[in-house]
């Protein structure tokens, strides 16, 4: 699965380890929420980075205490129509201050990159290499945003108020 | 009117360019129909029975003459010369070609019109009172809040893939013309005991196969907190709304399954946990949006100008004036409703010529402004009373002066089986037949206010549940049958109608409606008692008897 990060096709350092399969001695791994919650301490003590695949119908409360020790959280889009992970992403970034990799997995359309980026995702498991090529182009599509999110972009309303303020200050 | 600035225009143009690219990728086969479907729906493009249907947003029902002319241009250039105004302040074109859609959108973008989120599982067009800003007794112009919410919910990165569609309606008047109780979120602007402006927030209303009247989730949310409160509701819905069954995915089902208290508690907890995330609207922010609404330079005019006194001798004018002209907050002015319900016509349709002509009349008589209401009629919101006789003559020539507003032939109807791929039965021919049956204005006048709503299927685009008389098309053994409900209403006392008995075949619908109306005329205790009030007083039984005794 091609991985897009920082706008480029990137080698995925994380290995998805299925439940029941043996973990490699070191190296970065992504494990399921069940496996992680069964014994988080053991997994966190292991050398190598740890990421957790968090389903979109599972409450984040169980994950929050471990966030500062996780290198990646992978949220899931079972279909591109199912938008629950957008809310999870914003909560992780904006409410719980998670600053590690936030990965979008599952069915992802390149047409959703802007929404996902604004919600806090910074890594995308896409379907084909062409989607990676399209990333930079897609990200340039919009220059105006109406809502504030954790991505820090200035909203249209705030830009107008800034403009008005600087106009009145200049008079 | 609200004036779009460079930022709004840039965003709309960026959206058009994105959609042009998506259409190109679809036509080249790069996007599958399954992928393209969610993208085209978010741009108002449906695949209907015969062709693509294109739904354009008319946010809070306000249009400039320039915008209306551009809609006429789209009807003429890309469609078959007409458009259909819907129950949610949209206009639909039924015969548009996919390859031409980006051009149509680009033409609309030039005048600040778009089709963003007029379909799909996201926040739909924010609707409001078509008399906003001119209705006497209004708390304040609800369009300022509608616009703030429109902006906030447009291309929202968290809520563009909700479990199902999501509709918000706002009213600021005592009489609810926005039908807020049948929306996912209904907002009623009012002042609290301290004189502070805020909203009663209602949630979980809706029609379709599981109709619900919205319930109050919070009696007062201050204006400055309305965006964050809506965000909290949406976040709870996005996380907990059902996605296993599209028929149970609307917020009304979540509210029903959890119960309003539990749902309200979830929202309250989310809202408190949100803290300050930049959504609080301080005075400057509200004023920024308010300042971009302009209001006409009204003149100081007499309450009863000579022109009006003179025209009072003309019976046709007087009948139209009594029916179609409403009180305005400014002395000497009126709000004029233009009926899109001529005898024998499809409700809500307007030709390109009519749209152009209405735009001209708006320039001449209404400071260039037009309104669109959920009853599928248009309105000119600022007409000087002295101009009413001249306006009447002009409208009459255009076929837009049918004096039937709120009467039995002012029928709300969905497009039904003639256009819609979801429908089980026709709606338009039923409406046309009924307008012919009740064409006599004196009879219609005698009957008084009576709303007939027709839907061609359970999805209820014609809002049949809340019609004083509701007609729902169903299919039985390959034939069209119609269930009749009575006693529904969509206003501040909204309620669902009650089924009067077994469905009747297509050919009998008009007779049955006539029977019901005759029963009402015999049963009402005085001429002023509205049909819906007689039903409330007596229940459906006497009507059931009248309809089924001889069938």
């Amino acid at each position: 699965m091609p991985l897009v990060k920082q706008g480029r096709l990137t080698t995925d350092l994380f290995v998805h380890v299925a439940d029941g399969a043996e973990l490699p001695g070191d190296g970065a791994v992504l494990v399921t929420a069940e496996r992680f919650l069964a014994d988080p301490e053991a997994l966190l003590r292991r050398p190598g980075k740890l990421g957790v695949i968090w389903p979109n119908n599972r409450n984040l409360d169980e994950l929050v205490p471990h966030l500062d020790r996780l290198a990646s959280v992978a949220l899931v889009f079972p279909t591109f129509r199912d938008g629950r992970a957008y809310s999870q992403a914003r909560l992780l970034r904006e409410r719980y201050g998670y600053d590690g990799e936030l990965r979008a997995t599952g069915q992802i359309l390149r047409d959703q990159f802007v929404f996902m980026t604004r919600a806090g995702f910074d890594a995308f498991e896409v379907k084909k290499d062409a989607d990676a090529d399209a990333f930079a182009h897609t990200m340039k599509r919009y220059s105006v945003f109406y809502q504030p999110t954790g991505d820090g972009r200035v909203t249209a309303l705030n830009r107008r108020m800034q403009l008005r303020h600087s106009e009145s200050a200049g008079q | 009117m609200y004036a779009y600035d460079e930022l709004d225009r840039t965003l709309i143009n960026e959206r058009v360019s994105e959609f042009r690219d998506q259409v190109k990728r679809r036509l080249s086969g790069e996007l599958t129909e399954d992928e393209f479907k969610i993208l085209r729906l978010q741009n108002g493009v449906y695949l209907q029975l015969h062709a693509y249907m294109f739904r354009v947003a008319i946010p809070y029902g306000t249009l400039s003459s320039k915008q209306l002319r551009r809609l006429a241009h789209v009807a003429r250039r890309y469609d078959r010369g007409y458009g259909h105004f819907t129950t949610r302040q949209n206009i639909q074109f039924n015969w548009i070609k996919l390859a031409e859609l980006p051009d149509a959108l680009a033409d609309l973008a030039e005048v600040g019109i778009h089709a963003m989120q007029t379909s799909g599982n996201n926040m739909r067009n924010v609707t409001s009172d078509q008399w906003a800003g001119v209705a006497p007794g209004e708390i304040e112009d609800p369009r300022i809040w509608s616009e703030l919410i429109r902006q906030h919910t447009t291309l929202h990165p968290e809520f563009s893939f909700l479990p199902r569609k999501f509709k918000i309606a706002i009213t600021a008047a005592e009489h609810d013309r926005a039908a807020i109780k049948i929306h996912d979120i209904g907002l009623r602007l009012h002042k609290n005991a301290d004189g502070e402006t805020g909203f009663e927030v209602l949630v979980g209303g809706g029609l379709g196969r599981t109709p619900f009247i919205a319930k109050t989730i919070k009696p007062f949310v201050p204006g400055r907190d309305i965006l964050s409160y809506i965000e909290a509701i949406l976040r709870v819905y996005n996380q907990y709304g059902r996605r296993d069954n599209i028929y149970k995915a609307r917020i009304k089902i979540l509210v029903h399954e959890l119960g309003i208290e539990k749902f309200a508690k979830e929202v309250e907890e989310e809202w408190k946990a949100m803290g300050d995330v930049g959504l609080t609207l301080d005075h400057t922010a509200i004023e920024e949006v308010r300042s971009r609404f302009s209001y006409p330079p009204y003149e100081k005019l007499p309450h009863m100008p000579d022109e009006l006194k003179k025209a009072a001798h003309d019976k046709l004018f007087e009948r139209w004036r009594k029916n179609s002209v409403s009180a305005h907050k400014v002395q000497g002015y009126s709000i004029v409703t233009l009926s899109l319900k001529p005898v024998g016509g499809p409700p809500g349709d307007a030709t390109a010529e009519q749209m152009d002509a209405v735009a001209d009349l708006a320039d001449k008589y209404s400071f260039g402004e037009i309104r669109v209401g959920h009853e599928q009629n248009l309105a000119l919101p600022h007409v000087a009373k002295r101009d009413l006789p001249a306006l009447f003559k002009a409208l009459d020539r255009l076929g837009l002066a049918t004096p039937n507003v709120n009467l039995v032939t002012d029928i709300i109807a969905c497009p039904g089986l003639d256009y819609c791929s979801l429908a089980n039965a026709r709606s338009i021919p039923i409406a046309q037949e009924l307008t012919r049956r009740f064409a006599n204005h004196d009879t219609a006048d005698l009957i008084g206010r009576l709303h007939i709503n027709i839907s061609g299927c359970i999805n209820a685009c014609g809002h049949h549940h809340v019609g004083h008389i509701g007609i729902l098309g169903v299919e039985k053994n390959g034939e069209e049958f119609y269930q009749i409900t009575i006693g529904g209403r969509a206003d501040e006392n909204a309620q669902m109608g009650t089924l009067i008995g077994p469905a009747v075949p297509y050919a009998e619908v008009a007779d049955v409606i006539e029977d019901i109306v005759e029963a009402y005329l015999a049963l009402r205790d005085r001429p002023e008692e509205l049909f819906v009030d007689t039903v409330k007083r007596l229940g459906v039984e006497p009507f059931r008897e009248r309809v089924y005794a001889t069938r």
Side-chain angles (χ1 to χ4, degrees):
Chain A
M1 198 72 86
L3 183 75
V4 177
K5 236 187 138 169
Q6 281 153 356
R8 285 194 311 276
L9 202 59
T10 315
T11 312
D12 190 355
L13 300 174
F14 284 84
V15 179
H16 289 245
V17 182
D19 288 352
E22 203 177 325
L23 288 168
D26 54 11
V29 292
L30 270 172
V31 298
T32 66
E34 289 82 19
R35 184 165 188 164
F36 174 68
L37 293 173
D39 192 355
E41 287 311 317
L43 285 161
L44 288 162
R45 271 196 308 272
R46 185 186 154 274
K49 290 178 174 176
L50 181 67
V52 176
I53 304 163
W54 201 259
N56 69 359
N57 56 0
R58 188 154 201 156
N59 200 313
L60 292 171
D61 289 349
E62 297 169 281
L63 182 66
V64 168
H66 311 289
L67 280 176
D68 55 354
R69 293 155 77 193
L70 291 173
S72 179
V73 175
L75 299 176
V76 188
F77 293 86
T79 82
F80 42 66
R81 287 182 191 81
D82 188 335
R84 279 176 276 193
Y86 290 106
S87 287
Q88 291 179 319
R90 288 197 67 195
L91 289 172
L92 287 175
R93 288 288 195 221
E94 295 169 46
R95 185 166 304 164
Y96 302 117
Y98 174 67
D99 59 3
E101 177 186 272
L102 191 54
R103 182 181 286 219
T105 70
Q107 266 204 343
I108 294 160
L109 284 179
R110 66 149 107 148
D111 305 86
Q112 297 169 324
F113 284 158
V114 177
F115 291 140
M116 288 176 174
T117 305
R118 297 213 64 214
F121 289 101
D122 60 355
F124 310 86
E125 288 185 9
V126 296
K127 281 192 270 187
K128 42 189 190 280
D129 289 357
D131 291 334
D133 300 336
F135 186 88
H137 189 65
T138 305
M139 290 308 294
K140 272 187 267 178
R141 182 75 73 192
Y142 286 100
S143 64
V144 178
F145 302 91
Y146 279 136
Q147 334 55 19
T149 68
D151 71 355
R153 288 176 210 262
V154 180
T155 65
L157 186 61
N158 282 327
R159 272 163 76 175
R160 288 182 188 118
M161 288 193 295
Q162 285 167 4
L163 200 66
R164 184 164 293 211
H165 183 73
S166 61
E167 272 170 6
S168 61
Q171 274 166 9
Chain B
M1 289 290 301
Y2 174 78
Y4 275 33
D5 70 358
E6 196 53 36
L7 295 174
D8 297 297
R9 284 194 295 272
T10 302
L11 178 67
I12 297 175
N13 286 326
E14 288 168 346
R15 182 64 158 176
V16 173
S17 133
E18 180 182 47
F19 189 59
R20 196 180 286 284
D21 173 57
Q22 288 165 343
V23 169
K24 199 172 104 192
R25 281 156 57 214
R26 173 67 194 123
L27 292 173
S28 76
E30 195 187 321
L31 274 172
T32 65
E33 179 53 28
D34 198 34
E35 292 167 335
F36 181 60
K37 188 179 173 188
I38 61 161
L39 304 174
R40 68 168 158 78
L41 288 176
Q42 291 177 345
N43 285 282
V45 182
Y46 281 80
L47 188 52
Q48 284 294 22
L49 215 47
H50 311 289
Y52 281 100
M53 184 197 87
F54 176 41
R55 183 185 289 158
V56 176
I58 302 167
Y60 36 88
T62 297
L63 278 174
S64 69
S65 54
K66 195 175 167 188
Q67 290 174 324
L68 185 57
R69 264 184 216 104
R70 194 56 64 95
L71 291 172
H73 156 80
V74 167
R76 202 178 280 120
R77 166 76 181 75
Y78 302 100
D79 206 274
R80 296 188 178 177
Y82 63 93
H84 172 75
F85 290 96
T86 78
T87 53
R88 289 205 76 262
Q89 298 178 324
N90 293 305
I91 183 170
Q92 293 177 179
F93 299 102
N94 279 303
W95 303 96
I96 206 139
K97 292 186 190 70
L98 181 60
E100 292 185 346
L101 267 164
D103 289 340
L105 275 170
D107 288 356
L108 292 173
E110 285 178 357
V111 293
I113 302 186
H114 61 79
M116 285 186 271
Q117 297 175 198
T118 52
S119 178
N121 294 335
N122 45 40
M123 300 286 289
R124 299 294 185 85
N125 186 33
V126 177
T127 58
S128 188
D129 186 347
Q130 69 267 27
W131 293 358
V134 290
E138 195 175 63
I139 301 293
E140 63 174 56
D141 190 341
R143 292 175 303 165
I144 289 140
W145 301 97
S146 309
E147 176 57 24
L148 278 158
I149 295 168
R150 181 196 76 80
Q151 292 187 19
H152 182 69
T153 55
T154 295
L155 302 183
H156 196 297
E158 185 177 346
F159 305 126
S160 286
F161 299 90
L162 292 167
R164 278 287 272 147
K165 57 185 167 184
F166 203 95
K167 302 170 178 178
I168 297 181
I170 308 179
T171 181
E174 203 176 323
H175 179 60
D176 174 11
R177 273 171 295 269
I180 65 165
K181 291 189 178 179
I182 55 167
H183 282 76
D184 296 293
I185 291 180
L187 299 174
R188 187 178 69 84
L189 201 59
H190 66 117
K191 283 192 196 300
N192 68 5
D194 300 331
E196 193 186 2
T197 304
F199 295 92
E200 177 186 356
V201 180
L202 297 96
V203 69
L207 302 177
R209 66 188 67 210
T210 327
F212 284 109
I213 297 293
K215 298 170 186 75
T216 300
I217 179 171
K218 210 170 165 73
F220 190 82
V221 174
R224 64 176 175 276
D225 292 328
I226 196 64
L227 293 185
S228 60
Y229 194 74
I230 288 172
E231 186 113 326
I233 292 175
L234 281 164
R235 186 168 281 162
V236 170
Y237 171 56
N238 192 37
Q239 291 182 102
Y240 302 113
R242 288 181 61 169
R243 294 185 191 249
D244 57 325
N245 178 343
I246 64 158
Y247 302 118
K248 298 190 171 185
R250 295 288 293 273
I251 195 172
K252 63 189 174 184
I253 304 289
L254 180 65
V255 171
H256 178 67
E257 286 181 353
L258 285 181
I260 186 69
E261 293 79 17
K262 184 135 191 283
F263 181 78
K265 191 168 159 275
E266 289 280 347
V267 170
E268 198 69 20
E269 278 171 14
E270 174 56 37
W271 191 43
K272 288 199 173 119
M274 276 168 69
D276 180 12
V277 286
L279 291 179
T280 308
L281 293 163
D282 62 12
H283 179 73
T284 328
I286 296 165
E287 287 314 308
E288 167 58 38
V289 172
R290 196 189 305 274
S291 72
R292 287 198 294 139
F293 276 88
S294 62
Y295 295 90
Y298 296 116
E299 293 172 68
K300 201 165 163 47
L301 295 175
H303 173 64
M304 183 52 80
D306 292 342
E307 290 87 344
L308 212 51
K309 283 183 204 150
K310 225 160 74 188
H313 301 296
D314 178 350
K315 281 205 175 89
L316 286 177
F317 170 77
E318 267 304 282
R319 181 158 69 196
W320 171 80
R321 186 190 62 79
K322 280 190 181 138
N323 180 262
S324 312
V325 177
S326 310
H328 196 283
K329 67 176 187 184
V330 179
Q331 181 187 294
Y333 288 86
S334 297
I335 305 165
V336 176
T337 301
L338 281 49
S339 169
L340 293 181
K341 318 288 179 65
V343 173
D349 276 16
T351 64
E353 290 68 36
Q354 285 176 325
M355 288 188 245
D356 275 339
V358 170
D360 291 345
L361 291 174
D363 282 341
K364 198 164 174 186
Y365 297 120
S366 186
F367 298 94
E369 197 173 324
I370 302 102
R371 303 292 182 83
V372 184
H374 81 85
E375 298 88 352
Q376 301 176 287
N377 289 321
L378 302 178
L380 297 179
H382 324 279
V383 180
K385 284 183 171 176
R386 63 171 179 227
D387 294 332
L388 286 170
L391 176 62
F392 167 67
K393 282 198 183 106
L395 289 174
D396 196 30
R397 280 195 293 275
L398 293 167
L400 295 172
T402 315
N404 64 345
V405 175
N406 289 323
L407 299 183
V408 64
T409 54
D410 187 4
I411 296 169
I412 290 176
C414 73
L417 198 52
D418 294 293
Y419 294 97
C420 178
S421 56
L422 300 172
N424 299 109
R426 287 169 292 168
S427 302
I428 294 170
I430 297 266
Q432 289 171 314
E433 174 61 18
L434 286 172
T435 59
R436 285 189 283 263
R437 292 280 180 112
F438 293 102
N440 185 312
H441 291 301
D442 296 328
T443 313
D445 209 33
L446 181 76
I447 297 164
R449 186 172 185 132
L450 203 171
H451 299 297
I452 296 180
N453 292 47
I454 309 172
S455 300
C457 81
I458 192 73
N459 292 304
C461 294
H463 297 178
H464 64 276
H465 297 100
V466 289
H468 294 180
I469 297 176
I471 302 173
L472 165 65
V474 292
E475 188 245 293
K476 273 189 188 175
N477 305 320
E479 281 182 62
E480 293 160 288
F481 276 75
Y482 294 83
Q483 293 179 352
I484 315 288
T485 52
I486 59 173
R489 56 199 300 172
D491 56 15
E492 61 279 9
N493 300 311
Q495 68 171 51
M496 303 297 166
T498 309
L499 194 63
I500 63 161
V504 298
Y506 177 84
E508 285 180 33
V509 174
D511 289 345
V512 167
I513 304 305
E514 272 193 308
D515 286 353
I516 291 171
V517 172
E518 277 172 20
Y520 154 68
L521 290 176
L523 290 165
R524 66 182 179 189
D525 71 356
R526 57 186 198 288
E528 297 76 38
E529 186 178 56
L530 297 184
F531 171 79
V532 74
D533 293 328
T534 305
V535 175
K536 193 175 175 189
R537 181 168 56 83
L538 297 174
V540 299
E541 204 46 49
F543 296 93
R544 189 199 310 265
E545 243 164 63
R546 177 72 174 82
V547 168
Y548 294 97
T550 53
R551 284 192 175 79

PDB file of all heavy atoms in Angstrom, chain B residues 426-438:
ATOM      1  N   ARG B 426     -46.988   9.064  -9.452  1.00  0.00           N
ATOM      2  CA  ARG B 426     -46.900  10.431  -9.960  1.00  0.00           C
ATOM      3  C   ARG B 426     -47.437  11.431  -8.933  1.00  0.00           C
ATOM      4  O   ARG B 426     -48.390  11.133  -8.210  1.00  0.00           O
ATOM      5  CB  ARG B 426     -47.699  10.548 -11.257  1.00  0.00           C
ATOM      6  CG  ARG B 426     -47.028   9.880 -12.447  1.00  0.00           C
ATOM      7  CD  ARG B 426     -47.970   9.797 -13.632  1.00  0.00           C
ATOM      8  NE  ARG B 426     -49.067   8.873 -13.354  1.00  0.00           N
ATOM      9  CZ  ARG B 426     -50.169   8.772 -14.099  1.00  0.00           C
ATOM     10  NH1 ARG B 426     -50.328   9.562 -15.146  1.00  0.00           N
ATOM     11  NH2 ARG B 426     -51.105   7.894 -13.785  1.00  0.00           N
ATOM     12  N   SER B 427     -46.838  12.596  -8.896  1.00  0.00           N
ATOM     13  CA  SER B 427     -47.314  13.681  -8.031  1.00  0.00           C
ATOM     14  C   SER B 427     -47.883  14.814  -8.875  1.00  0.00           C
ATOM     15  O   SER B 427     -48.946  15.347  -8.584  1.00  0.00           O
ATOM     16  CB  SER B 427     -46.164  14.264  -7.214  1.00  0.00           C
ATOM     17  OG  SER B 427     -45.557  13.282  -6.439  1.00  0.00           O
ATOM     18  N   ILE B 428     -47.149  15.190  -9.911  1.00  0.00           N
ATOM     19  CA  ILE B 428     -47.505  16.380 -10.689  1.00  0.00           C
ATOM     20  C   ILE B 428     -48.916  16.283 -11.290  1.00  0.00           C
ATOM     21  O   ILE B 428     -49.715  17.211 -11.120  1.00  0.00           O
ATOM     22  CB  ILE B 428     -46.431  16.680 -11.773  1.00  0.00           C
ATOM     23  CG1 ILE B 428     -45.109  17.081 -11.103  1.00  0.00           C
ATOM     24  CG2 ILE B 428     -46.893  17.791 -12.718  1.00  0.00           C
ATOM     25  CD1 ILE B 428     -43.925  17.175 -12.064  1.00  0.00           C
ATOM     26  N   PRO B 429     -49.264  15.163 -11.942  1.00  0.00           N
ATOM     27  CA  PRO B 429     -50.622  15.108 -12.523  1.00  0.00           C
ATOM     28  C   PRO B 429     -51.729  15.184 -11.465  1.00  0.00           C
ATOM     29  O   PRO B 429     -52.797  15.736 -11.740  1.00  0.00           O
ATOM     30  CB  PRO B 429     -50.659  13.756 -13.241  1.00  0.00           C
ATOM     31  CG  PRO B 429     -49.236  13.384 -13.452  1.00  0.00           C
ATOM     32  CD  PRO B 429     -48.487  13.972 -12.294  1.00  0.00           C
ATOM     33  N   ILE B 430     -51.461  14.685 -10.267  1.00  0.00           N
ATOM     34  CA  ILE B 430     -52.450  14.791  -9.189  1.00  0.00           C
ATOM     35  C   ILE B 430     -52.625  16.270  -8.826  1.00  0.00           C
ATOM     36  O   ILE B 430     -53.740  16.768  -8.691  1.00  0.00           O
ATOM     37  CB  ILE B 430     -51.988  14.008  -7.934  1.00  0.00           C
ATOM     38  CG1 ILE B 430     -51.862  12.517  -8.236  1.00  0.00           C
ATOM     39  CG2 ILE B 430     -52.899  14.284  -6.741  1.00  0.00           C
ATOM     40  CD1 ILE B 430     -53.056  11.666  -7.928  1.00  0.00           C
ATOM     41  N   ALA B 431     -51.500  16.959  -8.685  1.00  0.00           N
ATOM     42  CA  ALA B 431     -51.561  18.393  -8.363  1.00  0.00           C
ATOM     43  C   ALA B 431     -52.289  19.149  -9.460  1.00  0.00           C
ATOM     44  O   ALA B 431     -53.138  20.009  -9.194  1.00  0.00           O
ATOM     45  CB  ALA B 431     -50.142  18.941  -8.192  1.00  0.00           C
ATOM     46  N   GLN B 432     -51.970  18.815 -10.707  1.00  0.00           N
ATOM     47  CA  GLN B 432     -52.609  19.519 -11.836  1.00  0.00           C
ATOM     48  C   GLN B 432     -54.116  19.302 -11.834  1.00  0.00           C
ATOM     49  O   GLN B 432     -54.895  20.235 -12.016  1.00  0.00           O
ATOM     50  CB  GLN B 432     -51.992  19.026 -13.153  1.00  0.00           C
ATOM     51  CG  GLN B 432     -50.562  19.514 -13.334  1.00  0.00           C
ATOM     52  CD  GLN B 432     -49.868  18.860 -14.510  1.00  0.00           C
ATOM     53  OE1 GLN B 432     -49.937  17.646 -14.678  1.00  0.00           O
ATOM     54  NE2 GLN B 432     -49.186  19.661 -15.320  1.00  0.00           N
ATOM     55  N   GLU B 433     -54.529  18.062 -11.590  1.00  0.00           N
ATOM     56  CA  GLU B 433     -55.959  17.758 -11.568  1.00  0.00           C
ATOM     57  C   GLU B 433     -56.650  18.524 -10.433  1.00  0.00           C
ATOM     58  O   GLU B 433     -57.723  19.099 -10.608  1.00  0.00           O
ATOM     59  CB  GLU B 433     -56.162  16.236 -11.416  1.00  0.00           C
ATOM     60  CG  GLU B 433     -57.603  15.777 -11.234  1.00  0.00           C
ATOM     61  CD  GLU B 433     -58.525  16.142 -12.407  1.00  0.00           C
ATOM     62  OE1 GLU B 433     -57.998  16.439 -13.496  1.00  0.00           O
ATOM     63  OE2 GLU B 433     -59.760  16.161 -12.219  1.00  0.00           O
ATOM     64  N   LEU B 434     -56.007  18.551  -9.267  1.00  0.00           N
ATOM     65  CA  LEU B 434     -56.626  19.257  -8.132  1.00  0.00           C
ATOM     66  C   LEU B 434     -56.742  20.754  -8.393  1.00  0.00           C
ATOM     67  O   LEU B 434     -57.733  21.377  -8.001  1.00  0.00           O
ATOM     68  CB  LEU B 434     -55.826  19.001  -6.848  1.00  0.00           C
ATOM     69  CG  LEU B 434     -56.007  17.598  -6.254  1.00  0.00           C
ATOM     70  CD1 LEU B 434     -55.033  17.365  -5.111  1.00  0.00           C
ATOM     71  CD2 LEU B 434     -57.444  17.386  -5.767  1.00  0.00           C
ATOM     72  N   THR B 435     -55.722  21.333  -9.051  1.00  0.00           N
ATOM     73  CA  THR B 435     -55.825  22.775  -9.325  1.00  0.00           C
ATOM     74  C   THR B 435     -56.981  23.041 -10.286  1.00  0.00           C
ATOM     75  O   THR B 435     -57.613  24.089 -10.220  1.00  0.00           O
ATOM     76  CB  THR B 435     -54.519  23.372  -9.903  1.00  0.00           C
ATOM     77  OG1 THR B 435     -54.189  22.702 -11.111  1.00  0.00           O
ATOM     78  CG2 THR B 435     -53.372  23.285  -8.926  1.00  0.00           C
ATOM     79  N   ARG B 436     -57.274  22.084 -11.166  1.00  0.00           N
ATOM     80  CA  ARG B 436     -58.416  22.266 -12.079  1.00  0.00           C
ATOM     81  C   ARG B 436     -59.738  22.114 -11.324  1.00  0.00           C
ATOM     82  O   ARG B 436     -60.686  22.866 -11.537  1.00  0.00           O
ATOM     83  CB  ARG B 436     -58.324  21.284 -13.252  1.00  0.00           C
ATOM     84  CG  ARG B 436     -57.255  21.691 -14.269  1.00  0.00           C
ATOM     85  CD  ARG B 436     -57.299  20.855 -15.541  1.00  0.00           C
ATOM     86  NE  ARG B 436     -56.709  19.537 -15.336  1.00  0.00           N
ATOM     87  CZ  ARG B 436     -55.446  19.221 -15.655  1.00  0.00           C
ATOM     88  NH1 ARG B 436     -54.658  20.125 -16.213  1.00  0.00           N
ATOM     89  NH2 ARG B 436     -54.990  18.017 -15.441  1.00  0.00           N
ATOM     90  N   ARG B 437     -59.796  21.133 -10.403  1.00  0.00           N
ATOM     91  CA  ARG B 437     -61.034  20.910  -9.636  1.00  0.00           C
ATOM     92  C   ARG B 437     -61.425  22.131  -8.796  1.00  0.00           C
ATOM     93  O   ARG B 437     -62.596  22.402  -8.598  1.00  0.00           O
ATOM     94  CB  ARG B 437     -60.862  19.735  -8.659  1.00  0.00           C
ATOM     95  CG  ARG B 437     -60.712  18.401  -9.311  1.00  0.00           C
ATOM     96  CD  ARG B 437     -62.064  17.844  -9.740  1.00  0.00           C
ATOM     97  NE  ARG B 437     -61.872  16.552 -10.359  1.00  0.00           N
ATOM     98  CZ  ARG B 437     -62.286  15.396  -9.823  1.00  0.00           C
ATOM     99  NH1 ARG B 437     -62.957  15.403  -8.689  1.00  0.00           N
ATOM    100  NH2 ARG B 437     -62.045  14.256 -10.427  1.00  0.00           N
ATOM    101  N   PHE B 438     -60.381  22.767  -8.246  1.00  0.00           N
ATOM    102  CA  PHE B 438     -60.650  23.899  -7.335  1.00  0.00           C
ATOM    103  C   PHE B 438     -60.307  25.237  -7.991  1.00  0.00           C
ATOM    104  O   PHE B 438     -59.945  26.197  -7.324  1.00  0.00           O
ATOM    105  CB  PHE B 438     -59.854  23.736  -6.038  1.00  0.00           C
ATOM    106  CG  PHE B 438     -60.305  22.575  -5.195  1.00  0.00           C
ATOM    107  CD1 PHE B 438     -59.592  21.393  -5.180  1.00  0.00           C
ATOM    108  CD2 PHE B 438     -61.461  22.663  -4.427  1.00  0.00           C
ATOM    109  CE1 PHE B 438     -60.002  20.312  -4.405  1.00  0.00           C
ATOM    110  CE2 PHE B 438     -61.883  21.590  -3.638  1.00  0.00           C
ATOM    111  CZ  PHE B 438     -61.152  20.405  -3.638  1.00  0.00           C
TER     112      PHE B 438
END
